[in-house]
């Protein structure tokens, strides 16, 4: 269910939704093992659909919140993380008012896009079952939203207020049909594990930003959104520089460029910033190389 793996035995409960948010938890001193909780819905036990899941919100214990549609039956699996994770537990279920205002996607906040910092925390938030978006998603998160304008947007947690190993995931669509745009867990620079992302928005589209943790981490953060002017001409694919077939060396730099929201090409990991060129095919084999040789060697990084 979602990105969580379970190898342990479990037991089942069921509840019918009443049109409110529910929270189910094993965060009780009587619980004596490493629990996970998984929520499913479906017409019967043979046709279950993953709704949400959680591991390690309160130490080794778990807590899951979700919107329970009125009249829909939900199946709650209380289980362990590892084969040997078994034991006694105390389970609570209650109607839930979020502890963090923008805990859920439909409560997303519109931050300023002016380089100022929006302060917040993921402590007390719940996990969001939205899948992977270029970054692992197994920690609680909170939501922001913005409307596309056709410009470059940067989102950064590279601030003094960010005090944990964080992650950023950006989606487009609506809260019930989110599609990944870009995500990151690492700035790739001096900020280390405080991620930054950049993408070119499309007019009239709504984007949702999930600020969450790496692994199961939670903490405080400062989120900065801005519309910078690219300092590298061909930083983005839409600004790619056309090349002619030639043995001449083209000089460039990726210094001050930004990471690109492109799928992994082949089996090569792509984390560093990049710049773009285009070339028109001729039906022949092409070779592109940064293996400069002789006195003109200029490529100075991996």
């Amino acid at each position: 269910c979602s990105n969580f793996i379970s190898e342990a035995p479990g037991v089942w409960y069921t509840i019918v939704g009443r049109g409110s948010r529910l929270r189910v938890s094993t965060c009780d001193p009587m619980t004596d093992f490493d629990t996970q909780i998984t929520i499913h819905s479906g017409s019967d036990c043979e046709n279950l659909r993953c709704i949400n899941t959680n591991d390690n919100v309160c130490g080794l214990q778990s807590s899951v919140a979700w919107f329970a549609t009125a009249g829909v039956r939900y199946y709650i699996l209380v289980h362990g993380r590892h084969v040997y994770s078994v034991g006694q537990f105390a389970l609570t279920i209650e109607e839930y008012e979020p502890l963090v205002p923008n805990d859920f996607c439909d409560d997303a906040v519109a931050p300023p896009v002016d380089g100022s910092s929006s302060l917040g925390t993921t402590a007390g938030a719940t996990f969001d079952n939205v899948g992977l978006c270029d970054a692992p998603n197994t920690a609680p998160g909170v939501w922001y939203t913005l409307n596309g304008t056709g410009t470059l947007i940067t989102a950064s947690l590279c601030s003094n207020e960010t005090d944990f190993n964080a992650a950023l995931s950006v989606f487009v669509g609506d809260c019930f049909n989110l599609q990944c745009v870009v995500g990151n867990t690492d700035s790739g620079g001096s900020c280390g594990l405080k991620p930054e992302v950049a993408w070119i928005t499309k007019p009239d589209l709504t984007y949702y930003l999930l600020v969450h943790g790496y692994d199961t981490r939670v903490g405080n953060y400062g989120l900065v959104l801005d519309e910078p002017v690219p300092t590298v001409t061909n930083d983005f694919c839409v600004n790619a520089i056309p090349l002619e077939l030639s043995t001449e060396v083209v000089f460039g730099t990726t210094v001050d460029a930004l990471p690109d929201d492109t799928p992994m090409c082949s089996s090569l990991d792509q984390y560093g910033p990049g710049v773009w060129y285009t070339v028109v095919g001729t039906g022949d084999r092409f070779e592109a190389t940064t293996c400069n040789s002789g006195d003109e060697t200029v490529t100075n990084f991996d």
Side-chain angles (χ1 to χ4, degrees), residues 3 22 63 90 106 240 256 258 262 294 298:
N3 304 311
L22 296 179
S63 175
D106 53 4
D256 295 327
L258 295 165
T262 54
V298 295

Side-chain angles (χ1 to χ4, degrees), residues 203-215:
D204 303 323
L205 290 183
T206 301
Y207 294 86
Y208 291 89
L209 285 69
L210 178 62
V211 178
H212 54 115
Y214 182 82
D215 194 13

Side-chain angles (χ1 to χ4, degrees), residues 87-301:
Q88 310 298 319
F89 62 86
L91 184 71
T92 59
I93 186 164
E94 59 189 346
E95 291 190 333
Y96 174 68
E97 287 296 327
L99 302 178
V100 182
N102 54 337
D103 190 1
F104 291 86
C105 180
D106 53 4
D107 294 321
V109 173
V113 187
D114 59 5
S116 61
S117 186
S118 298
L119 305 183
T121 183
T122 63
T126 55
F127 169 73
D128 299 272
N129 181 28
V130 290
L132 294 173
C133 184
D134 300 334
N137 177 33
T138 52
V142 295
W143 291 90
Y144 292 87
T145 185
L146 61 90
N147 294 320
T149 59
T151 60
L152 168 67
I153 294 290
T154 60
S156 173
L157 295 176
C158 185
S159 66
N160 292 332
E161 294 84 5
T162 303
D163 61 9
F164 70 113
N165 187 177
L168 269 173
S169 297
V170 180
F171 302 88
V172 69
D174 59 59
C175 290
F176 300 99
N177 183 28
L178 294 171
Q179 298 176 338
C180 173
V181 175
V182 62
N184 198 6
T185 60
D186 190 335
S187 70
S190 59
C191 279
L193 300 177
K194 301 178 181 181
E196 298 175 316
V197 295
W199 76 103
I200 295 178
T201 65
K202 295 181 180 179
D204 303 323
L205 290 183
T206 301
Y207 294 86
Y208 291 89
L209 285 69
L210 178 62
V211 178
H212 54 115
Y214 182 82
D215 194 13
T216 57
R217 293 171 175 83
V218 297
N220 305 306
Y221 62 84
L223 173 66
V224 177
L225 272 72
D226 205 355
E227 294 181 282
V229 176
T231 57
V232 181
T233 302
N234 55 334
D235 194 357
F236 290 90
C237 184
V238 293
N239 303 120
I241 295 175
L243 295 177
E244 300 292 337
L245 290 180
S246 173
T247 57
E248 296 292 324
V249 175
V250 175
F251 297 94
T253 182
T254 62
V255 175
D256 295 327
L258 295 165
D260 296 273
D261 56 330
T262 54
M264 186 170 68
C265 189
S266 185
S267 59
L268 298 180
D269 291 329
Q270 176 186 309
Y271 299 114
V275 295
W276 291 87
Y277 298 90
T278 64
V279 67
V280 177
T282 63
D284 297 314
R285 294 183 184 275
F286 286 178
E287 179 187 48
T289 178
T290 54
C291 299
N292 312 138
S293 60
D295 296 334
E296 297 299 321
T297 298
V298 295
T299 303
N300 62 1
F301 70 107

Side-chain angles (χ1 to χ4, degrees), residues 2-116:
S2 186
N3 304 311
F4 290 81
I5 298 172
S6 174
E7 306 164 324
V11 294
W12 291 89
Y13 298 87
T14 184
I15 191 170
V16 177
R18 303 196 300 186
S20 61
R21 289 192 173 100
L22 296 179
R23 179 172 64 178
V24 61
S25 170
T26 56
C27 297
D28 187 285
M30 293 181 62
T31 304
D32 63 9
F33 71 106
D34 183 358
T35 62
Q36 284 184 228
I37 302 174
T38 304
I39 312 298
H40 301 267
S41 69
S43 56
D44 54 53
C45 290
E46 302 302 319
N47 296 282
L48 297 179
R49 180 172 67 91
C50 173
I51 299 298
N52 211 343
T53 186
N54 179 254
D55 183 28
N56 295 354
V57 157
C58 41
L60 296 178
Q61 313 314 323
S62 304
S63 175
V64 182
W66 79 102
F67 182 82
T69 303
V72 173
R73 182 174 297 279
Y74 295 90
Y75 295 85
I76 303 165
L77 176 63
V78 180
H79 52 126
R81 169 61 183 89
H82 302 286
V83 173
Y84 50 81
S85 299
V86 296
Q88 310 298 319
F89 62 86
L91 184 71
T92 59
I93 186 164
E94 59 189 346
E95 291 190 333
Y96 174 68
E97 287 296 327
L99 302 178
V100 182
N102 54 337
D103 190 1
F104 291 86
C105 180
D106 53 4
D107 294 321
V109 173
V113 187
D114 59 5
S116 61

